[in-house]
Amino acid sequence: MSTIILGIESSCDDTSAAVIRDGVLLSNVIASQKVHEAYGGVVPELASRAHQQNIVPVVSEAIRQAGINKEDISAIAFTRGPGLPGSLHVGTSFAKGLALALNVPLVDVNHLHGHVLSHFIKEDDSTEVPEFPYLCLLISGGNSQIVKVNAPNDMEILGQTIDDAAGEAFDKCAKSMGLPYPGGPVIDRLAAEGDATRFKFSKPHIPGLNYSFSGLKTSFLYTLRDELKLNPNFIEENKADLAASLQKTIIDILMDKFSKAIKQSGIKTIAIGGGVSANSGVRNAVQDYADRHHIKAFIPKRLFTTDNAAMIAVAGYFKYLDGKYCDVTLPPFARVTI
């Protein structure tokens, strides 16, 4: 008998539902929210309202595309946290109600686990997946972590940011340049046209494997402030070089600690995950490192780097196989690590 998992993701501003059968993806539907662009960032109240409007049609469409009936579902996996409280409440409440109505188990998923396990999203039986243990560089708007993955439900943080995350540095620096939200993809596009050696920004000196991006952000803002005093058109005239130099600095910071973790652990399989893993420079740097050191790198499809229910369904699938179910009384949580 097949195991069919319905995954539901609502941690931030994307409403998503996905269906997997025995680990193979049948559907993955995402409804994005454009309303936040005018505000330069996600507005929590607007996000939760949009989730309320989107969740029923999104789940219905995921079930339709999967070619199943809701009665075929073995369990429902949902993002319990971390994320925006209002957004999480919408997805959590819907998942609980549907699980009770169908009388199937409920599986809570840590959103960060979903990103780390996104490499196990199989689009067919031939999809190659990482061998355990592997090291994952988890990089997103709110998190920058180096995670040792011993098994699907056994993860260990080796290093993490002590302040801002890499995604925050991208978005906040982009906003200071007057670029649209989200700023990370815009920086990535501009960087392809710029000179990455033009500007020098501060790099942190943090012991161990932990990250810090607050100093880089401050250095970038000070550069803009000082240059704008001399030339009001500085940003417009130099935005490609600024973007390229910023991106290179962030990548250098990420790879410095990630490479140390790889050497210290001796692990020969690496991966990246999270929204920033869609960045072209990051993807190229990780693949180049793997090629030079003759190790295996797993780079996710860009579709699976964003907040999506496919990764929630896969993470939930592994918990379901281990019998790790969730009580319907458990509330969502806004902040947590691996």
Side-chain angles (χ1 to χ4, degrees):
M1 184 177 178
S2 297
T3 298
I4 296 176
I5 306 294
L6 168 67
I8 296 174
E9 155 62 19
S10 68
S11 64
C12 191
D13 61 336
D14 287 335
T15 311
S16 182
V19 177
I20 62 172
R21 176 191 284 125
D22 297 330
V24 178
L25 185 65
L26 302 182
S27 66
N28 185 37
V29 178
I30 302 174
S32 298
Q33 302 174 8
K34 301 296 184 182
V35 66
H36 307 285
E37 293 178 0
Y39 300 93
V42 176
V43 181
E45 181 61 27
L46 294 179
S48 60
R49 290 180 184 178
H51 282 302
Q52 290 176 332
Q53 296 172 344
N54 293 335
I55 194 162
V56 171
V58 165
V59 170
S60 297
E61 180 63 14
I63 292 173
R64 187 195 69 80
Q65 288 187 15
I68 65 167
N69 297 313
K70 61 181 182 295
E71 291 78 15
D72 299 326
I73 295 171
S74 306
I76 297 174
F78 70 100
T79 301
R80 188 172 157 225
L84 299 176
S87 297
L88 289 169
H89 272 293
V90 175
T92 298
S93 299
F94 184 89
K96 289 179 177 180
L98 187 57
L100 288 171
L102 297 177
N103 193 29
V104 297
L106 191 64
V107 181
D108 62 321
V109 174
N110 182 322
H111 179 82
L112 305 184
H113 286 192
H115 280 304
V116 173
L117 295 174
S118 62
H119 305 281
F120 292 88
I121 300 172
K122 296 182 179 181
E123 296 184 275
D124 54 54
D125 289 328
S126 66
T127 302
E128 185 180 10
V129 299
E131 293 183 358
F132 299 106
Y134 67 94
L135 289 186
C136 182
L137 177 60
L138 171 59
I139 34 178
S140 65
N143 299 277
S144 294
Q145 298 178 336
I146 299 172
V147 183
K148 181 184 177 186
V149 188
N150 300 307
N153 296 313
D154 181 7
M155 303 183 191
E156 175 187 357
I157 297 176
L158 303 183
Q160 61 185 330
T161 183
I162 62 174
D163 44 55
D164 292 345
E168 287 178 279
F170 273 121
D171 286 340
K172 290 178 180 177
C173 290
K175 186 175 182 179
S176 70
M177 292 172 64
L179 300 177
Y181 175 85
V186 182
I187 292 290
D188 194 15
R189 290 195 295 270
L190 287 173
E193 306 168 4
D195 178 2
T197 64
R198 174 80 183 284
F199 299 101
K200 301 296 182 183
F201 304 116
S202 297
K203 294 181 182 179
H205 299 283
I206 307 298
L209 298 176
N210 285 337
Y211 287 112
S212 171
F213 291 95
S214 63
L216 165 62
K217 183 183 64 179
T218 301
S219 174
F220 187 85
L221 294 177
Y222 280 174
T223 297
L224 295 189
R225 183 198 63 183
D226 295 342
E227 294 292 345
L228 286 170
K229 290 179 181 178
L230 303 174
N231 177 11
N233 298 317
F234 172 75
I235 293 177
E236 185 60 31
E237 294 173 359
N238 298 279
K239 60 183 179 181
D241 290 346
L242 285 166
S245 299
L246 173 67
Q247 179 161 293
K248 181 180 184 302
T249 306
I250 291 176
I251 293 171
D252 287 347
I253 294 171
L254 289 170
M255 291 306 299
D256 175 61
K257 295 301 178 78
F258 194 35
S259 62
K260 287 180 181 177
I262 296 168
K263 293 174 183 176
Q264 290 176 12
S265 68
I267 292 174
K268 299 298 183 181
T269 302
I270 62 174
I272 55 175
V276 180
S277 67
N279 179 277
S280 301
V282 171
R283 298 165 77 88
N284 292 337
V286 171
Q287 188 62 63
D288 178 66
Y289 181 90
D291 292 342
R292 286 187 288 108
H293 292 84
H294 308 291
I295 60 178
K296 181 67 176 178
F298 284 84
I299 312 295
K301 283 189 173 183
R302 282 186 168 86
L303 173 63
F304 301 137
T305 62
T306 58
D307 295 343
N308 67 90
M311 67 182 190
I312 302 303
V314 166
Y317 173 65
F318 286 121
K319 291 191 73 172
Y320 174 80
L321 294 180
D322 283 352
K324 298 181 180 294
Y325 305 152
C326 170
D327 191 284
V328 293
T329 63
L330 290 178
F333 53 83
R335 290 184 176 275
V336 76
T337 61
I338 291 291

